[in-house]
Amino acid sequence: MREPGFWHGPASLNSHLLKPLAALYGAIAAQRLRRKGLNAGIPVLCVGNYHVGGAGKTPTVLALSKLLRDLGETPVVLSRGYGGRLAGPVRVDPVRHAASDVGDEPLMLAGHLPVVVSRKRADGVPLARSRGATVILMDDGFQSPAIVKDASLIVIDSERGIGNRQVFPAGPLRAPLQPQLARTDALIIVGNGSAAEQVAAEIAAQGKPVLSAHLKPDEAQVARLRGKRALAFAGIGDPTRFFNTLRASGIEVVGQRAFADHHPYSQAEIESLIAEARGEALTLVTTEKDLARLRHGGSLPDWAKQIVPFGVTLEFDDAALLRKFVADRLFKAREKP
């Protein structure tokens, strides 16, 4: 879906009219947050959002997986596999599976570390443990009570923040904000904007860490695109952030096409973009997550091989603070009776 503009604007009539539905949705979501979940038997770290849409969870999961490996751990990602047809539990195989099977984010992550997809998250725990997991890294699921979490790390984009602070459908929040703040163990703010300052202050007032991070483009891919004119397209939670990242990297974005998050591209759509780029002598560029949706049998079909991926990694301003936080949480999780 595309996010309504009023979610990220000043008070509006649309938001006001939807408040009764939001109150009902929020009450159900808040009640659900209080349920007790499964104890996985190993530490569980959850990377989530307060709101629907993207904020940088996937780069955060990858950064945490690297940190966990540096600490001697064996992380396995657990995901619901949003957008995939398989209910699971199943281990994602980048060669055998497509995004239509397991979802685009799990497929992309599976190129870096083991990923288990399970529509019912608790059912995926035994499979993750059978794959040698010493830590389960949950991609999303902050609002789900299915599994007990030893740490919940919430990601916010500094430019977008949490919008109008209203619960869906009056706003982007998945549940009332205060219960979510109470269950937050660390806040990760991505970028240099100021839209997340109020939430950061509320988390800091609770004595919880607030970590700043930045998306760092892949230098080899930047070099490949430098000096070329680009047509960029993306079907992610915030396509504008992707387009701005390209421009900030010195890439001339002549045209941009935004699609809904997780958009399932057809061959005709991609061929139309390729023809448009060719007609204006442009290089066609997209995100690694979008490119994952086009892969079949572990590789791109011939009609998509002209597309250039643009990858990013997440770098923390205070990596030592993040390392200490994660190490402390792992220790406390293993000390529990």
Side-chain angles (χ1 to χ4, degrees), residues 217-226 251 286 288 308-312:
D218 182 276
E219 293 180 3
Q221 292 171 350
V222 170
R224 181 180 176 185
L225 291 165
R226 191 170 288 125
I251 297 162
T286 194
E288 290 186 327
V308 177
F310 187 82
V312 295

Side-chain angles (χ1 to χ4, degrees), residues 161-248:
I162 57 172
N164 62 8
R165 298 173 73 95
Q166 298 296 315
V167 176
F168 180 90
L173 294 182
R174 297 182 179 187
L177 184 58
Q178 290 307 314
Q180 295 196 83
L181 293 175
R183 288 163 174 77
T184 300
D185 297 301
L187 185 70
I188 298 170
I189 300 176
V190 181
N192 296 315
S194 59
E197 287 181 351
Q198 184 176 347
V199 174
E202 293 176 65
I203 291 296
Q206 296 179 20
K208 298 171 181 176
V210 176
L211 299 144
S212 298
H214 298 83
L215 294 172
K216 180 182 178 182
D218 182 276
E219 293 180 3
Q221 292 171 350
V222 170
R224 181 180 176 185
L225 291 165
R226 191 170 288 125
K228 296 180 179 178
R229 300 163 68 244
L231 171 60
F233 72 96
I236 56 177
D238 185 9
T240 300
R241 181 178 61 185
F242 170 60
F243 304 142
N244 290 340
T245 300
L246 286 171
R247 292 188 173 97

